Amino acid sequence: MGQRVLRREDSRFLRGKGLYVENIDLPDALHATFIRSPYAHARIVDVDVSAALALPGTQVFTSEAVGLGTFQPPPFPGLDQRMGRPFLADEVVRFVGDIVAVVVTDSRAEGVDAAELVVVEYDPLPTAVDPEQALAGDALLFPEAGTNICTSHPTERDESLFDDCDAVVSGRLISQRMAACPLEPRSCAAMVGDDGRLTLWLSTQTPHQDRDGLAMSLGLEAADVRVVAPDVGGGFGAKMLAVEEILVSWLARQTGRPVRWTETRSENMIAMNHGRAAVLDFTIGGSRDGAVQAYRLRILQDVGAYPRIGAVLPGFTALMASGVYAIPKIETEFTCVVTNTTPIGPFRGAGRPEATQAIERAMDLFAGEIGIDSVEVRRRNLFASDAFPLTTASGASYDCGDYERALDLALETAVYEGLREEQRRRRAQGSTIALGIGVSLYVEITNGLVEPEFGAVEITPEGEAILRTGSFSHGQGHETTFAMIVADRLGLPVDAVRVAKGDTDEVRQGVGTYGSKSTQIGGVAAQQAAGVVAERARQLAAEQLEANVDDVVLDADVGGFHVIGSPAPTITWQELASRAYDEGRLEELCAEEVFKAGAPTFPFGAHVAVVEVDTETGDVELRRLVAVDDAGRIINPVIADGQVHGGVATGVAQALYEEFVYDEDGNPLSGSFLSYAFPSAAELPLFDRVAMETPTPVNVLGAKGIGESGTIGATPAVQSAVIDALAPFGVRHVDMPANGERVWRALQEAQG
Ligand code: MCN
């Protein structure tokens, strides 16, 4: 392991040979088209479907006809269960995109025509679009609840928290609302088989959880449902079982014909969960020589129209509030409010970027306040490498880390002193292209919910292996890395291991992929199952070699088993499997494991961003980004590099480009790629990734998660770099995305 093996799945992706839900051939399938509210908040007065029904072969279903009730919020303690989402809005719509009716037609084009003939009469209601407005409670989304607060976790305030501090600064960071923008939007197709079982082909991250959720929503047994996730064109945390997909499944049962739905891009932009949308107010205090003594973080989380997992994520923000710093006193609290906007869910990083963004901004402000270089202040407060394992004042138990080494590596690679020198030169020359340098450190939590994962390994009659994993790769390259893990344990070539995933009939159980946990739980389950198979194979080989089992070894160099010290005779995997098959003993070469780790893991790193800002136009260009990301022992450095590159692009996008915006009535203003500034490779430099590995003791692979690291580390470094470039003008803060307009305005304001 640790080898640079190219992603085997890329051959089919790059040649356009991937199989997506949209490619599943279902002759005779009907098409579902959703009729969505154009109002952010309104009472439904009347739905007239008569003209649509007059079109041949058209069926229309409203809330009353479907009768599925409400998609309940997750049963988390303290989450207001009265704020569930009706599958189809019945009396009230609560965001632009809420579903009022669904049309079913023979073709997609007919669906669009029929949808236009459904006439819905609305009576607009006052809106709560901004979370602070929602908190004030003038417009209530659920009047029966009497408040827009769906959950809150207050702490008893310690009024003396900052009493010992010489310097105290406060600030506000808005971690703006973002759209996940997977290249493949949501897509599903449902069919009831001759045996009465329901099959749902679904673009998802969590096939097994979706099978169970779908069965529950439709009142079926899980055994009566099969979910098949073929190739998936990205999820980024946002693809989880949604009301649309349950409705499509219901329609297939209702109509007796296959039904399919693939959303349009503009539908995806308003109807799939958004991410972030947190207002973070912080206060930081310490001594004038740079020791941080206290930190307070208050989170106001906008959860959109209906609370789901978005209402739980601030818990991770609060838990990770301390970042990489040994801060003795920390106070956190969070409040979640519903607003007349698209519901909020997980989006790459999910709760942890917000924590890093807040503490890193706080460190910059604190450094500015005491007049010490911000890198120096960071260094003075880092947890020492010999302090692990440790528990922070915000309650997280970190496994292992070496934060100072990550910082040094990042600074050395970026040639930090040289950059500062260049900055001084430009400032002295009065250059209108200002150089800005930003440094961030981060630590995040992966496998934060400490979940189990399933892995099963079997040997084929040809002596190859099949891994069935409950993890589900939707872009992460598991077909390669998980094959490497199993191949390594079995002493087989990587190409001799096939990875089966995503079909709930083919893989008995699973949890799925999110929270960058697949390798540390699914990977370990795969390795353990392979270990059991290898051991059983050794016993079988010993019988055939007529040797004592303790004397028989598995030798990857010869691809089989022999007596220790004498490679001849060798029984290869092919010979062993073939004989086992002939003797009806192949089943002995199968094993299933469910692995649950004892704790989460805490990847960490340091990023340096270098930007150039045109002080006349406000234009910002990212010139360089150095990323040191330590995710413990790395299985495949090529894939880890790719994950960091994608993650960093998302992190930079939050700092400089992307923001989902509503007007004051709750109308989306960035519902397409024309108005939502999703960057392409052309906007980004080639990132410098510096490898660093501190193996975790939490699992036998020594692996932590890498899937979200880049996103978490990059954003504060880039935001800080922009503000740093503007420091000589007296600019102290620029909200994200720090785009040309915001920078220009900040400059104008600073200059009066
Ligand atoms: N890996 C490794 N060594 C490690 C850790 C991971 O070689 N120490 C490899 C893994 O084996 C795997 C990949 O890196 O091939 C990512 O593994 P891991 O960090 O365990 O994360 P997950 O597989 O659980 O992926 C989830 C993570 C999340 S939460 C989001 S969101 C995300 C991401 O991955 N969405 C993605 N990466 C994405 N990449 C693509 N292309 N598309 C998405 O939607």
Side-chain angles (χ1 to χ4, degrees), residues 658-710:
E658 296 183 26
E659 178 174 30
F660 200 96
V661 184
Y662 290 93
D663 71 10
E664 59 190 19
D665 296 322
N667 297 303
L669 300 181
S670 35
S672 80
F673 280 178
L674 279 178
S675 46
Y676 186 82
F678 180 71
S680 72
E683 276 78 37
L684 303 165
L686 200 61
F687 311 129
D688 293 305
R689 168 160 153 75
V690 187
M692 176 169 165
E693 294 186 28
T694 309
T696 176
V698 170
N699 62 68
V700 289
L701 293 174
K704 307 180 183 186
I706 192 86
E708 295 161 289
S709 304

Side-chain angles (χ1 to χ4, degrees), residues 15 117 161 184 209 267 311 343 355 366 385 690 748:
R15 288 181 301 121
L117 296 178
L161 196 67
E184 181 204 24
Q209 290 194 40
E267 195 174 20
F366 178 65
S385 59
V690 187
Q748 301 307 307

Side-chain angles (χ1 to χ4, degrees), residues 68 84 105 128 195 290 311 355 410 450 505 571 579 585 630 715 725 735 752:
L68 273 176
T105 47
D195 56 0
V450 193
D505 275 8
I571 295 192
R579 280 189 216 169
R585 297 180 68 183
D630 188 326
T715 312
D735 277 330

Side-chain angles (χ1 to χ4, degrees), residues 336-393:
C336 299
V337 287
V338 287
T339 59
N340 293 115
T341 61
T342 299
I344 291 291
F347 171 52
R348 205 166 193 173
R352 293 100 84 204
E354 294 85 334
T356 305
Q357 291 163 14
I359 185 67
E360 290 301 292
R361 193 78 266 282
M363 290 305 277
D364 275 352
L365 285 180
F366 178 65
E369 180 70 21
I370 58 174
I372 300 181
D373 177 66
S374 65
V375 169
E376 196 43 44
V377 175
R378 284 180 164 82
R379 191 185 292 282
R380 282 187 203 179
N381 290 285
L382 294 177
F383 283 114
S385 59
D386 58 4
F388 296 88
L390 58 88
T391 301
T392 68

